């Protein structure tokens, strides 16, 4: 199963609580989830947040909006991804950031198509050291 895991937490240092800031009367996270849900190649969209009490707001938002959610380690992001993928039995993981409300579902699908065609372990549309796509349109599988 192919899943998009959106990492989200309230503890941003530059703009605290940015994932829940309103954009067009909806939290930024809602826009990110909805755009990811438009991917034709993903079977599920999951928000991976932390067990910190500050992130209860994210977990409650997910529950109220029927968005799959997993809560894990604050400090060990890799473990949070691993545990999310394990719980939802994902075989392919697409990584998305919660602060990308304009993420492009067509770009996600093109990345998945290339990933499947090439049979590689990892693919990204960002070349290290270069900005090949505008921020928010990055795709890592």
């Amino acid at each position: 199963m192919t899943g998009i895991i959106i990492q989200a937490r309230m503890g941003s240092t530059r703009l605290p609580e940015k994932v829940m800031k309103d954009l067009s009367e909806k939290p930024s996270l809602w826009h990110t989830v909805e755009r990811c849900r438009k991917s034709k190649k993903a079977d599920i969209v999951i928000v991976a947040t932390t067990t910190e009490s500050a992130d209860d707001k994210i977990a409650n938002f997910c529950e109220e909006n029927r968005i799959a959610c997993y809560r894990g380690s604050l400090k060990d992001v890799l473990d949070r991804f691993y545990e999310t993928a394990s719980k939802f039995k994902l075989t392919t993981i697409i990584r998305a950031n919660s602060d990308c409300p304009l993420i492009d579902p067509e770009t996600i699908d093109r990345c998945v198509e290339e990933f499947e065609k090439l049979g590689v372990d990892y693919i990204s549309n960002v070349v290290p050291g270069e900005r090949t796509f505008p921020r928010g349109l990055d795709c890592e599988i």
Side-chain angles (χ1 to χ4, degrees):
M1 177 155 54
T2 298
I4 299 174
I5 300 177
I6 301 170
Q7 59 186 29
R9 62 185 183 87
M10 297 293 281
S12 169
T13 54
R14 290 176 293 178
L15 182 58
E17 301 184 7
K18 68 182 169 186
V19 300
M20 298 305 290
K21 299 275 187 205
D22 277 352
L23 294 174
S24 296
E25 301 177 17
K26 298 276 188 184
S28 175
L29 180 58
W30 181 89
H31 295 281
T32 303
V33 169
E34 288 304 308
R35 292 188 61 86
C36 286
R37 283 180 169 169
K38 291 180 181 188
S39 165
K40 294 178 176 84
K41 296 290 186 174
D43 300 304
I44 189 169
V45 175
I46 308 155
V47 172
T49 193
T50 80
T51 55
E52 298 292 302
S53 60
D55 293 323
D56 289 350
K57 189 171 182 178
I58 292 171
N60 292 338
F61 170 78
C62 289
E63 186 175 337
E64 291 165 7
N65 290 278
R66 290 180 273 177
I67 300 166
C69 184
Y70 177 82
R71 298 188 79 173
S73 175
L74 168 67
K75 299 202 184 269
D76 192 341
V77 179
L78 179 59
D79 183 66
R80 194 179 339 145
F81 268 80
Y82 174 79
E83 293 297 334
T84 302
S86 295
K87 178 181 178 184
F88 289 92
K89 298 177 176 40
L90 302 182
T91 53
T92 303
I93 301 165
I94 302 159
R95 177 185 169 268
N97 292 320
S98 58
D99 59 355
C100 296
L102 300 178
I103 192 165
D104 181 29
E106 290 179 19
T107 300
I108 294 169
D109 290 345
R110 285 191 359 238
C111 286
V112 174
E113 288 167 6
E114 282 296 303
F115 175 79
E116 292 170 344
K117 182 176 90 177
L118 297 172
V120 294
D121 293 327
Y122 172 83
I123 195 166
S124 173
N125 67 351
V126 176
V127 176
E130 296 180 39
R131 178 61 38 200
T132 51
F133 278 76
R135 289 199 184 277
L137 298 182
D138 320 41
C139 184
E140 289 184 64
I141 300 172

